[in-house]
């Protein structure tokens, strides 16, 4: 199968095996299986293609699979009038030409038997083993697609689940769709268009992400012909007119061949024609096409180092177009693709694009995960697993697919799933950002700190208040670049939630679904954004407070100011008492205390999530209540010290003091630290008429533009 022009009537500018006559194969299939000592004629083409990639493959299992498939489907016909067996044969031939291993081909031959015939999974397992049974079951679970709007999301959800367990399931499904698209002409035009749109929106991006360019490009051309017939015919005419003896790429290819031969570099130089959609895109981008726009040069070498040697020679002996250089060997694409891209100026100013890769890279570029064989084959040199697991850890599964599997479980609404799936698949580039703990996050290009927060912390990211990007403070809307180091900063208030504005900055399905889900669960909440989230802890350093300690751990005793702790009574009159910064209890909240390291008692609101966490790890609660004015400041109001973290800007101090005054609070003292890394830290000791006004005061301060967090001070406030 060619990865180039999908139209069988297009000018032949490629080296490939001719298209198999499936009608002839169908007639052969109707005559039934042949003797056991040789393969049936109908599958001999599959065997030939398979042996080209796997010379030592045992073809016995393929013969047995064909015999079962042919006998099971005998009498069934396709809408095109061909015997049904031609379909699994064609699908298997597509995969064989891509280099799929024997197990995948066996499952491909049988992929419709369980769904459309009397054959059962138990029979498949008994005759062909667990692996083939697993793949056939995975494809069967995808069921026949009902192309109605409601059925489509659920069908592809099943597809993702099956793919996540074994990428070979998706390989078979893609080949199945390719053959169906090739024979789509027998259907009504409206159904052709409906199937073509689904193929365009979901299956082609999936093929791209699995790296199966050979399938992707032919599917693109077939969809192009159905959905845009006039533009397709114009492109066909342009390609036909450009075919002739005076191809400028031929001249440049000869010059490149001589240059590399003189340099002692063993390389194969080929002309790689663009497929129809690629030519159409170039035409829309440049307007009038040049003679070299109908193809690219492909240079194949033996080793990685040879790729860079070829690049050096080309840039030395030809005039390079530097803006066209891309190194996908040192930084592979998200779909396993590796190659060097460049462009050089040939005779008479003709510019030719050049792809440089090893033969192995080329195989992976064409076939993607299909070329990687059986990802679950046991390495004889590897130690045996002592604890079997139901999880199938697939080393070929790209990170994006793992993320899709994670968020599809959260997207309970089919419309949300469908929309988010299409949006995610539309991302054609991935970036890698680094965490401060040394880990990495794979995100789509254009992702923001919101996406990084949810990728790292999941639902805990609802409390995010900002981030540090490459050591500098940044807002959650900051777009990340490849190689950035990001540290999301979380507030201490576990009850706070996201801002609706975050949806404008979220690019990943995980982030969008989590944010949307939070608002679905809190329909009456109108939470402020990252600069106004109701976070009451010190969170500017992104560290949990002692009151948010993980189960099983203890926290050091640290004093916190707030409404003075003498206003709280606990069972132990000698214990140091402090109010938890995570839930900021104020009268008349019901209280519960816990003894922490050093003997201090930290007091929480009873509904605080930290209370349940403490009880789950076996911490005994300490009875606590508000003193009836004893030792408190009920007559003089409530004194509290707050720290405001903000980005520097003119009039910031004036706006903050105005917000404090508007909240009916009096400033006892205030300090402003010198700006550091664009950050300004303000510390205010305030007196409020009533402790109940504290949350509103803190929200008002956070509403001031540039302020990204307001928290309780970590140390006692002065009493003056």
């Amino acid at each position: 199968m060619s990865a180039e022009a999908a139209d069988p009537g297009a000018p032949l500018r490629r080296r490939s095996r001719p298209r198999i006559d499936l009608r002839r194969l169908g007639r052969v299939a109707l005559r039934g299986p042949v003797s056991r000592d040789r393969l049936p004629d109908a599958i001999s083409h599959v065997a030939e293609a398979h042996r080209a990639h796997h010379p030592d493959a045992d073809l016995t299992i393929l013969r047995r699979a064909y015999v079962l498939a042919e006998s099971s489907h005998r009498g069934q016909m396709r809408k095109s009038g061909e015997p049904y067996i031609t379909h699994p044969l064609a699908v298997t031939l597509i995969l064989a030409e891509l280099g799929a291993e024997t197990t995948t081909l066996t499952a491909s031959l049988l992929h419709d038997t369980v769904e459309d015939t009397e054959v059962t999974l138990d029979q498949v397992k008994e005759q062909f083993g667990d692996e083939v049974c697993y793949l056939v079951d995975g494809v069967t679970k995808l069921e026949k697609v009902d192309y109605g709007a409601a059925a489509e999301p659920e069908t592809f959800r099943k597809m993702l689940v099956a793919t996540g367990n074994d990428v070979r399931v998706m390989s078979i499904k893609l080949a199945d769709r390719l053959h169906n698209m090739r024979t789509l002409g027998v259907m009504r035009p409206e159904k052709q268009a409906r199937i073509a749109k689904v193929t365009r929106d979901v299956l082609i991006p999936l093929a791209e992400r699995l790296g199966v360019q050979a399938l992707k490009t032919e599917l693109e051309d077939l969809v192009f012909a159905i959905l845009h017939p006039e533009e397709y015919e114009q492109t066909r005419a342009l390609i036909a007119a450009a075919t002739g003896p005076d191809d400028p790429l031929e001249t440049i290819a000869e010059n490149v061949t001589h240059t590399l031969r003189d340099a002692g570099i063993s390389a194969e130089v080929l002309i790689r024609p663009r497929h129809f959609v690629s030519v159409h895109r170039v035409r829309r981008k440049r307007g009038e096409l040049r003679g070299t726009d109908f193809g690219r040069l492909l240079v194949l070498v033996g080793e990685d180092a040879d790729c860079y040697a070829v690049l050096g020679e080309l840039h030395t002996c030809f005039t390079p177009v530097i803006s066209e250089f891309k190194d996908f060997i040192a930084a592979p694409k998200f779909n396993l693709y590796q190659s060097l891209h460049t462009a050089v100026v040939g005779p008479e100013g003709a510019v030719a694009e050049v792809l440089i890769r090893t033969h192995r890279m080329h195989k992976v570029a064409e076939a993607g995960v299909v070329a990687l064989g059986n990802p679950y084959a046991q390495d004889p040199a590897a130690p045996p697993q002592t604890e079997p697991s139901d999880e199938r850890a697939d080393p070929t599964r790209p990170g994006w697919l793992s993320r899709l599997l994670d968020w599809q479980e959260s997207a309970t609404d089919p419309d949300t799933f469908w929309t988010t799936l299409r949006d995610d698949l539309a991302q054609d580039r991935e970036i890698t950002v680094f965490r401060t703990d040394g880990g990495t996050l794979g995100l789509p290009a254009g992702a923001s700190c919101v996406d990084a927060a949810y990728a790292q912390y999941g639902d805990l990211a609802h409390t995010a208040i900002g981030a540090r990007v490459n050591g500098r403070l940044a807002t959650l809307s900051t777009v990340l670049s490849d190689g950035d180091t990001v540290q999301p900063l979380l507030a201490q208030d576990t009850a706070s939630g996201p801002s609706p504005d975050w949806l404008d900055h979220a690019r990943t399905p995980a982030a969008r679904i989590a944010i949307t889900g939070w608002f679905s669960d809190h329909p009456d909440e109108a939470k402020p954004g990252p600069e106004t989230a109701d976070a009451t802890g010190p969170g500017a350093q992104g560290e949990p407070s002692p009151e948010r300690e993980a189960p099983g751990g203890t926290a050091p005793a640290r004093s916190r100011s707030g409404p003075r702790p003498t206003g709280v009574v606990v069972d132990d009159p000698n214990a140091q008492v402090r109010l938890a910064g995570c839930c900021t209890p104020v009268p008349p909240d019901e209280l519960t205390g816990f003894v922490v390291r050093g003997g201090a008692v930290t007091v929480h609101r009873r509904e605080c999530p930290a209370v349940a966490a403490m009880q789950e790890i076996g911490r005994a609660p300490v009875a606590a209540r508000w003193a009836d004015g004893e030792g408190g400041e009920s007559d003089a109001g409530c004194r509290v010290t707050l720290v405001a973290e903000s980005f520097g800007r003119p009039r910031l101090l004036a706006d903050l003091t105005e917000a404090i005054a508007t909240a009916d609070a009096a400033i006892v003292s205030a300090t402003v630290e010198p700006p550091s890394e664009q950050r300004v830290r303000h510390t205010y000791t305030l007196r409020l008429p009533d402790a109940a006004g504290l949350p509103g005061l803190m929200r008002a301060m956070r509403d001031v533009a540039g302020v990204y967090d307001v928290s309780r001070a970590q140390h006692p406030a002065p009493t003056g």
Side-chain angles (χ1 to χ4, degrees):
M1 182 189 62
S2 168
E4 311 302 339
D7 178 33
L12 291 176
R13 305 180 64 197
R14 62 188 189 276
R15 303 176 183 177
S16 65
R17 184 179 287 103
R19 183 69 53 81
I20 302 301
D21 184 351
L22 291 175
R23 291 186 180 274
R24 183 183 65 78
L25 290 185
R27 291 192 294 270
V28 173
L30 285 175
R31 294 198 292 268
V34 297
S35 61
R36 288 180 172 272
D37 59 349
R38 68 186 182 90
L39 287 168
D41 289 341
I43 201 176
S44 60
H45 299 286
V46 173
E48 177 187 355
H50 187 38
R51 279 281 173 84
H53 294 278
H54 305 276
D56 300 326
D58 182 4
L59 302 179
T60 304
I61 190 173
L62 287 181
R63 188 195 69 81
R64 290 194 290 112
Y66 169 75
V67 170
L68 177 59
E70 187 280 327
S71 60
S72 302
H73 290 297
R74 189 176 298 171
Q76 296 178 352
M77 308 295 286
R78 304 193 79 218
K79 291 184 178 180
S80 60
E82 299 166 334
Y84 194 87
I85 188 61
T86 58
H87 173 64
L89 272 173
V91 172
T92 306
L93 181 60
I94 290 169
L95 293 170
E97 291 184 331
L98 287 172
E101 39 79 48
T102 309
T103 302
T104 302
L105 300 186
T106 304
S108 176
L109 283 169
L110 301 171
H111 78 271
D112 278 337
T113 55
V114 174
E115 182 179 357
D116 294 338
T117 75
E118 299 299 321
V119 176
T120 66
L121 275 176
D122 289 339
Q123 289 175 297
V124 173
K125 184 175 183 179
E126 180 181 353
Q127 295 188 41
F128 300 98
D130 291 340
E131 283 295 303
V132 172
C133 177
Y134 189 92
L135 297 180
V136 172
D137 185 35
V139 178
T140 302
K141 286 178 180 177
L142 302 182
E143 301 176 352
K144 286 189 176 294
V145 177
D146 175 4
Y147 290 96
E152 201 65 58
E154 192 57 34
T155 298
F156 285 101
R157 182 194 295 268
K158 294 177 182 177
M159 184 183 300
L160 281 175
V161 174
T163 299
N165 289 332
D166 197 318
V167 292
R168 293 174 292 177
V169 173
M170 180 58 73
S171 301
I172 297 172
K173 181 62 180 179
L174 288 172
D176 174 82
R177 176 56 63 93
L178 176 57
H179 181 243
N180 286 333
M181 288 293 297
R182 286 175 178 174
T183 58
L184 207 58
V186 298
M187 294 186 177
R188 300 187 308 274
E190 59 270 21
K191 190 165 187 179
Q192 290 185 40
R194 200 157 58 242
I195 296 174
K197 288 177 181 177
V198 174
T199 303
R200 176 197 63 193
D201 293 342
V202 177
L203 284 173
I204 287 176
L206 280 174
E208 166 77 13
R209 293 198 163 213
L210 291 172
V212 195
Q213 293 295 317
L215 297 183
K216 178 233 178 188
T217 52
E218 186 171 353
L219 284 171
E220 279 187 327
D221 283 348
L222 292 167
V223 168
F224 185 37
I226 293 172
L227 298 183
H228 305 282
E230 294 183 2
E231 293 174 316
Y232 177 83
E233 289 301 328
Q234 293 173 1
T235 305
R236 178 210 285 272
L238 287 171
I239 293 175
T243 303
D246 299 327
D247 188 346
L249 283 176
E250 293 281 0
T251 303
I252 300 176
E254 291 178 5
N255 292 341
V256 169
T257 300
H258 292 313
T259 298
L260 298 180
R261 184 184 301 126
D262 293 343
I265 301 174
S266 178
E268 184 179 4
V269 181
L270 304 172
I271 295 178
R272 181 179 177 82
R274 293 183 183 272
H275 64 294
F276 284 83
V277 171
S278 180
V279 172
H280 176 67
R281 288 171 181 159
V282 173
R283 182 190 178 199
R284 292 185 63 182
K285 178 181 178 181
R286 296 180 181 164
E288 185 176 353
L289 292 173
R290 305 170 301 195
T292 54
D293 287 335
F294 293 92
R296 293 181 286 190
L297 298 186
L298 174 63
V299 181
L300 299 177
V301 295
E303 303 293 338
D304 289 12
D306 295 336
C307 295
Y308 293 97
V310 169
L311 181 70
E313 289 297 323
L314 293 183
H315 283 194
T316 300
C317 301
F318 296 86
T319 301
V321 182
I322 300 300
S323 61
E324 296 295 323
F325 172 67
K326 297 180 181 67
D327 187 347
F328 294 117
I329 295 179
K333 287 188 176 182
F334 59 84
N335 59 3
L336 313 176
Y337 176 88
Q338 288 184 288
S339 186
L340 294 179
H341 290 202
T342 190
V344 296
V345 180
E348 300 180 359
V351 177
E353 295 182 35
V354 185
L355 311 177
I356 308 167
R357 59 181 72 141
T358 66
H359 291 277
R360 169 67 175 169
M361 292 175 189
H362 182 57
K363 182 178 180 181
V364 174
E366 290 292 284
V369 295
V370 179
L372 300 180
N374 181 0
Y376 310 104
Q378 293 294 322
D379 183 355
Q385 293 184 349
T386 56
E387 297 183 3
S389 172
D390 293 335
E391 292 295 325
R392 296 165 66 88
D394 185 350
T396 70
R397 188 168 81 188
W400 65 266
L401 184 53
S402 297
R403 292 195 300 277
L404 285 183
L405 291 166
D406 290 338
W407 64 255
Q408 69 85 21
E409 296 179 358
S410 304
T412 55
D413 175 48
D415 291 335
T416 300
F417 167 77
W418 184 243
T419 302
T420 314
L421 171 64
R422 293 175 60 177
D423 290 346
D424 187 77
L425 292 177
Q427 303 287 344
D428 60 356
R429 193 169 67 85
E430 187 172 87
I431 63 172
T432 299
V433 298
F434 295 92
R435 294 162 37 169
T436 52
D437 61 4
T440 60
L441 299 173
L443 300 170
S448 67
C449 293
V450 170
D451 300 298
Y454 280 96
Q456 182 168 349
Y457 293 113
D459 286 347
L460 289 177
H462 292 329
T463 65
I465 56 174
R468 290 185 184 274
V469 178
N470 301 323
R472 302 178 69 86
L473 286 170
T475 62
L476 287 170
S477 61
T478 301
V479 176
L480 298 169
S481 299
D482 198 31
D484 281 347
T485 297
V486 59
Q487 178 191 9
L489 306 178
L490 305 184
Q492 301 300 300
D493 182 6
T494 57
S496 64
S499 163
D501 295 341
W502 292 10
L503 288 171
D504 296 333
H505 313 303
R507 296 292 179 269
T508 59
R512 297 187 65 83
I513 289 175
I515 297 168
T516 304
W518 192 92
F519 282 108
S520 296
D521 294 338
H522 303 79
D524 297 329
E525 294 285 346
K527 289 292 181 180
E531 287 82 17
T532 60
D534 188 11
T536 56
Q541 300 301 321
E543 299 176 356
S545 70
E547 291 70 42
R548 292 182 63 185
E549 59 188 291
T554 57
R558 298 163 72 182
S559 297
R560 289 182 181 271
S561 68
R564 291 181 62 182
T566 53
V568 175
V569 177
V570 299
D571 284 351
D572 184 355
N574 298 319
Q576 178 187 358
V577 180
R578 64 191 183 200
L579 300 181
C582 57
C583 55
T584 60
V586 294
D589 295 331
E590 294 184 345
L591 305 177
T592 297
F594 293 91
V595 178
V596 295
R597 182 179 299 175
V601 176
T602 300
V603 178
H604 299 257
R605 296 166 60 186
R606 278 191 186 170
E607 60 268 29
C608 176
V611 172
M614 289 288 212
Q615 292 175 334
E616 286 177 1
I617 64 174
R619 294 286 185 86
V622 176
R625 61 181 175 81
W626 296 106
D628 295 331
E630 180 182 340
E633 298 186 59
S634 56
D635 295 336
C638 168
R639 185 194 298 263
V640 63
T641 298
L642 300 179
V643 177
E645 303 276 359
S646 65
F647 298 103
R649 67 169 179 83
R651 289 191 52 81
L652 175 62
L653 182 60
D655 291 344
L656 267 171
T657 53
E658 181 180 354
I660 293 170
T662 302
D664 202 20
I667 300 177
V668 177
S669 65
T671 59
V672 180
E673 299 178 13
S676 174
E677 295 184 345
Q678 299 180 339
R679 184 188 72 179
V680 180
R681 182 183 177 94
H682 307 250
T683 303
Y684 297 93
T685 298
L686 307 172
R687 189 183 303 278
L688 286 76
D690 190 281
L694 177 59
L697 167 64
M698 297 176 72
R699 279 193 291 270
M701 294 174 67
R702 292 191 195 98
D703 282 336
V704 175
V707 177
Y708 61 84
D709 188 31
V710 176
S711 62
R712 295 284 186 85
Q714 298 189 41
H715 301 288
T719 59

